[in-house]
Amino acid sequence: MRKFSTLAILLAATVFLVGARLPPQGPLPQPRPDAAPVTSPIAPSSEKAEPPTPEEVPAPQPKPDIKEPEAPASGQMPTPQTAPAKPEPSEPMQGPPLPPDMPHSPPTPAEEDKPPAEQTLEEQNLAIEPESDAAHAECTAALKALGVVFRQAPRIDDGNGCGIDKPIIVSEALPGITLKPEATIRCPAALALARWIKESVIPAASAALPEQGRITAVNQATAYMCRLRNGSETGKISEHARGNAIDIVSFHFEKGEDVAVRSRREDPTLTGAFQRTVSAAGCLYFTTVLDPESDAAHETHFHLDVIERKGGYRYCH
C-alpha cells in the first residue's frame, strides 16, 4: 500500500512536469555600467522611467592662439561682446614734441567762454547797421514835410559797432520847438520824435497846462553815444550807440517853470496827468518807452528808441 502511494505521487509529478511550459521570455542580463541601455522588446509600461544620466565627455580645448566665437542657439540673438574697459591713464597721452615757441594747446579767446551778458563792447565784435539810400531819402522827406530842422552829417564809425551809417543832426524837433542841445540821431528816431511831439505832447500840454502857453523847447540828455545799456561795462549795446534813441528830461513853456520828467505816478495834479499821458502815448511812435517808474536808471527822463523787434513787439513802461 505504501509503495502504491509513492508510485501515484511520482506519476502525478511526472504529469505536472510534462504539462508545464517555459516562460516566453527568460530573465535578461543586467547591463554593464559603461554600456548603453538595452532596448527591451517588451512594450513600455505606463510609468515613465527616468533616463540614465550620460557621462560628461570633456570638450576638446581650443588652441591658445585661436579664439573661436560661440555660435548662437537657434532663434536666439547673439550676445554682443563687451570690450574690456580701458584703464584710465595716470598721465596725459604723449605725442610728438611741439616747437619751443608753440603752446601745448591753442588758446581759446576769452569772449567765447562768456555769455553775451558778460561781454564787454570790445568782445562782442559788432558792426554798424547799413541804411538804404531809398529808405533814408523817404524818411528825410517826411521830416521836411513836418518842418523839422536838421542837417545831414558824415558817417559815424567809433568802432566796436558804435556808429550811424547815415546820421542827421536835429536842431528843431518841430517849427518853433528847439531841441536842446541839438541831437545826432538816425532819421527814423527823429521822425518818431517829431510825430510824438506834434500829435501827443502838444495836445496834452494844451489840455493840462494852458496857462503856461505853448511848448518852445524840448530838453534832451543823450542822443548818440557809444556805450552799453545803462552805461554798464558788460551786456548788450545801447540803442544810443546806434543812433536809435533819445532821452527827454524836460519841456520848456512860454510861461512858468519847465515840466521836468520825474516820478509822477501818485501826482494828483494836471502836471502829473500830462506826464503820464505823454509817456503812455510814446508807445504809439517808439518801440521802447522807459519812464521814471520803470527802474532807477530812468528816474529823471524818458528813454525813447526805435529798435526793431520780431513781430513788431514793443516794450513800454
Side-chain angles (χ1 to χ4, degrees):
M1 186 68 181
R2 180 178 296 176
K3 290 181 181 180
F4 180 78
S5 300
T6 301
L7 183 58
I9 293 172
L10 291 175
L11 182 59
T14 301
V15 174
F16 176 79
L17 293 174
V18 172
R21 293 183 181 181
L22 293 175
Q25 179 67 40
L28 297 177
Q30 295 295 328
R32 292 182 301 174
D34 57 347
V38 179
T39 304
S40 173
I42 304 175
S45 62
S46 60
E47 288 188 29
K48 198 169 183 180
E50 290 288 336
T53 304
E55 288 187 2
E56 295 183 358
V57 180
Q61 298 295 327
K63 294 181 181 181
D65 58 345
I66 298 176
K67 190 171 183 180
E68 299 181 359
E70 295 181 2
S74 177
Q76 181 178 358
M77 295 296 293
T79 304
Q81 296 184 359
T82 304
K86 295 181 180 180
E88 293 291 336
S90 56
E91 296 182 358
M93 296 294 291
Q94 299 295 326
L98 297 173
D101 297 335
M102 183 180 294
H104 289 282
S105 59
T108 302
E111 57 268 23
E112 293 183 2
D113 297 332
K114 297 179 182 178
E118 297 180 6
Q119 293 182 8
T120 64
L121 184 59
E122 292 76 12
E123 292 170 340
Q124 295 183 41
N125 301 317
L126 302 174
I128 298 173
E129 296 180 358
E131 301 181 62
S132 73
D133 294 336
H136 183 69
E138 182 180 354
C139 180
T140 54
L143 287 181
K144 292 175 182 178
L146 289 171
V148 179
V149 179
F150 67 95
R151 64 184 183 274
Q152 305 278 358
R155 185 176 189 270
I156 300 173
D157 187 351
D158 290 332
N160 302 315
C162 290
I164 306 174
D165 189 26
K166 293 178 170 58
I168 62 172
I169 301 174
V170 179
S171 55
E172 287 190 16
L174 283 175
I177 300 180
T178 306
L179 188 60
K180 293 184 178 180
E182 60 183 17
T184 301
I185 51 178
R186 288 182 62 235
C187 183
L191 185 57
L193 178 67
R195 288 173 173 170
W196 173 61
I197 294 173
K198 179 180 181 180
E199 299 171 10
S200 295
V201 176
I202 292 176
S206 298
L209 307 168
E211 70 281 359
Q212 292 193 217
R214 67 181 185 89
I215 295 176
T216 59
V218 174
N219 301 312
Q220 60 96 9
T222 311
Y224 170 76
M225 177 180 287
C226 182
R227 63 174 174 84
L228 297 179
R229 293 182 181 179
N230 299 329
S232 303
E233 295 183 359
T234 59
K236 292 184 178 181
I237 191 171
S238 171
E239 290 306 302
H240 287 286
R242 299 185 183 276
N244 287 329
I246 189 167
D247 293 342
I248 304 300
V249 295
S250 66
F251 301 92
H252 182 74
F253 291 79
E254 286 180 314
K255 306 172 185 176
E257 297 180 353
D258 291 357
V259 174
V261 177
R262 59 181 177 83
S263 179
R264 296 184 186 273
R265 177 179 295 173
E266 305 299 331
D267 187 344
T269 67
L270 285 172
T271 301
F274 163 75
Q275 179 176 301
R276 292 191 296 271
T277 299
V278 299
S279 175
C283 209
L284 300 175
Y285 309 92
F286 297 92
T287 56
T288 305
V289 177
L290 300 175
D291 64 15
E293 316 303 337
S294 62
D295 55 33
H298 301 89
E299 287 180 338
T300 59
H301 62 275
F302 293 140
H303 169 90
L304 312 171
D305 72 47
V306 292
I307 184 176
E308 293 185 6
R309 298 186 178 93
K310 293 182 180 179
Y313 171 74
R314 299 187 175 211
Y315 182 83
C316 304
H317 192 290

